[in-house]
Amino acid sequence: FYTQPIKITVYQGTRESFVEKDAKTVVFSIRVDSVAEMSLGEPGSPFDATAKGHRLDFGNLEKAKAKGLDMRVRSNAGYHVTMESENGGVMKNIDPHTPATIPYSLQINSVAVSLGRTGQTVLSRSNRLTDRNGDRHELLVTIGEVGNAPAGTYRDNITVTVVSDN
């Protein structure tokens, strides 16, 4: 809560000649809820509260092919970010009869992140107020060994959750 007492005074007379007749103090208060929000976009893009998803299309997969995106997080109380991979950190062939997978790696701000099936905290910025552009986190996805993977479309979905610390 933010509170601010304001004294209101009533005067009688003219601007040149006046006397105080009454005064009261009113206390205004406002509650500011904790907020954490995220934006996903092309590298260098500004914060956009409507940008909640981003697709990385690698075209023909080759080992070491990499693509990046920016995740921006705004908060007035600190935040933590968790990520969870639908496929446990690998891309799966979308054909349910083809069990083939292709590994990939994820880095956030040049630090490797392990993506298991259960959400884990990958970023934390405790008790920190961001500016209106939010904290910029650079994400980089790099394709691993393709090997003899059968032809088809491979995919993984990563769920990103941002939570305020309060």
Side-chain angles (χ1 to χ4, degrees):
F1 279 98
Y2 290 90
T3 60
Q4 178 65 49
I6 297 176
K7 184 178 180 182
I8 300 174
T9 306
V10 176
Y11 296 92
Q12 182 178 14
T14 65
R15 283 187 170 171
E16 295 77 29
S17 174
F18 56 87
V19 292
E20 183 178 322
K21 283 301 196 181
D22 198 4
K24 300 285 185 213
T25 299
V26 178
V27 178
F28 288 93
S29 64
I30 185 171
R31 177 188 166 117
V32 177
D33 291 327
S34 56
V35 174
E37 54 186 348
M38 169 191 62
S39 169
L40 298 172
E42 292 296 322
S45 60
F47 189 92
D48 176 357
T50 64
K52 300 296 183 197
H54 192 78
R55 180 185 173 114
L56 294 177
D57 187 344
F58 286 87
N60 291 329
L61 291 178
E62 299 170 9
K63 182 179 179 179
K65 198 173 199 180
K67 286 198 170 280
L69 69 145
D70 279 356
M71 175 176 63
R72 290 189 178 268
V73 181
R74 289 195 304 203
S75 175
N76 64 355
Y79 61 88
H80 61 275
V81 178
T82 60
M83 291 186 171
E84 185 174 357
S85 162
E86 181 177 78
N87 300 322
V90 297
M91 289 186 289
K92 281 184 158 182
N93 193 308
I94 62 170
D95 180 349
H97 304 311
T98 307
T101 62
I102 297 175
Y104 66 88
S105 63
L106 172 66
Q107 291 182 334
I108 300 177
N109 301 325
S110 300
V111 175
V113 173
S114 173
L115 290 173
R117 287 193 181 271
T118 58
Q120 61 178 340
T121 299
V122 295
L123 285 171
S124 182
R125 299 286 191 265
S126 295
N127 299 320
R128 189 162 178 284
L129 174 69
T130 67
D131 65 17
R132 64 186 178 91
N133 294 314
D135 291 339
R136 179 179 176 223
H137 302 288
E138 297 173 346
L139 282 66
L140 182 68
V141 176
T142 306
I143 304 302
E145 189 60 57
V146 176
N148 292 326
T153 300
Y154 290 77
R155 177 179 304 148
D156 191 20
N157 291 308
I158 298 172
T159 302
V160 181
T161 306
V162 177
V163 179
S164 173
D165 283 344
N166 286 341

